[in-house]
Amino acid sequence: MTHQTIVIRDAQPSDTDAVREVLENAYAEYEQLLSRERWEAYKENIANSLIDANVKAHLLAEAEGTLLGSVFLYHSSDAAYGLPELNIHAPIMRLLAVTRQARGQGIATALIAETIERSRTWGADTLYLHTSDVMQSAVQLYERLGFERADDKDIHKGDSVVKSYRLSLVEADRTIGGKR
């Protein structure tokens, strides 16, 4: 699948089954790393994202008609998580997923670049995301692209912490080759 032209586009209702497959493929590696109850809750969260009316944009990456990646954008912490108390009134990127077979081809970076552009068109100057330490390759990508820890926006679930990261969309020009 190398050297293919990657197209980033908005998801359509007819994409739901293919997106579910991408998400299941991308996140299956974490099943063994999470407790059974956390994994089941995570799978339910993923399934619910496919029908979530609070999604502001759902972007897909495809090549030659094959869906390779997906990302969801929300306009606030209330819309993304039902947590208005996080007080995030800026776009939040969730469930960035690239199939295991298509990793290493810049697909995640292309999806993130498009989330940055969308966020800018909405007038935002910051983009947020939440992740956990178990997703080390994702954390490394986010940090390489200029996302910085925003521990004041972490989500605490019992004894676990879902870590928050933020990206200044002005700074993103330098780290991701922004179009401004």
Side-chain angles (χ1 to χ4, degrees):
M1 289 202 177
T2 55
H3 299 91
Q4 297 183 79
T5 300
I6 305 300
V7 175
I8 306 295
R9 66 174 177 83
D10 287 291
Q12 302 301 314
S14 60
D15 294 316
T16 301
D17 290 339
V19 171
R20 180 179 285 109
E21 289 178 22
V22 166
L23 291 168
E24 288 174 0
N25 176 289
Y27 286 99
E29 68 189 89
Y30 302 114
E31 181 175 8
Q32 302 305 313
L33 301 174
L34 299 174
S35 69
R36 182 180 167 96
E37 64 186 30
R38 281 186 65 200
W39 173 246
E40 291 302 321
Y42 200 68
K43 276 192 345 186
E44 183 178 338
N45 183 285
I46 289 170
N48 289 338
S49 70
L50 295 168
I51 57 171
D52 188 350
N54 291 319
V55 173
K56 186 165 183 175
H58 181 193
L59 304 172
L60 304 179
E62 68 180 6
E64 298 176 11
T66 300
L67 192 60
L68 303 173
S70 171
V71 67
F72 295 83
L73 267 172
Y74 294 81
H75 65 71
S76 69
S77 56
D78 189 20
Y81 309 112
L83 296 173
E85 62 273 19
L86 279 180
N87 202 29
I88 298 174
H89 302 286
I92 297 175
M93 179 177 73
R94 291 200 61 214
L95 295 169
L96 175 65
V98 174
T99 62
R100 286 176 281 164
Q101 301 83 348
R103 292 185 182 163
Q105 299 177 38
I107 295 166
T109 302
L111 284 164
I112 292 169
E114 184 59 26
T115 66
I116 290 167
E117 289 307 310
R118 293 289 175 99
S119 297
R120 285 180 174 145
T121 64
W122 301 335
D125 58 7
T126 306
L127 174 64
Y128 286 86
L129 64 85
H130 288 83
T131 191
S132 67
D133 288 337
V134 75
M135 298 178 180
Q136 273 305 304
S137 60
V139 169
Q140 290 171 357
L141 172 66
Y142 301 142
E143 289 176 348
R144 184 171 47 82
L145 295 178
F147 283 85
E148 297 178 343
R149 282 285 284 122
D151 53 354
D152 60 317
K153 305 296 183 187
D154 286 352
I155 299 171
H156 299 272
K157 294 182 175 183
D159 60 351
S160 66
V161 176
V162 182
K163 294 181 176 180
S164 179
Y165 285 79
R166 83 177 119 233
L167 177 70
S168 162
L169 298 183
V170 173
E171 293 297 315
D173 285 343
R174 287 187 230 131
T175 59
I176 307 176
K179 300 175 186 173
R180 287 192 133 180

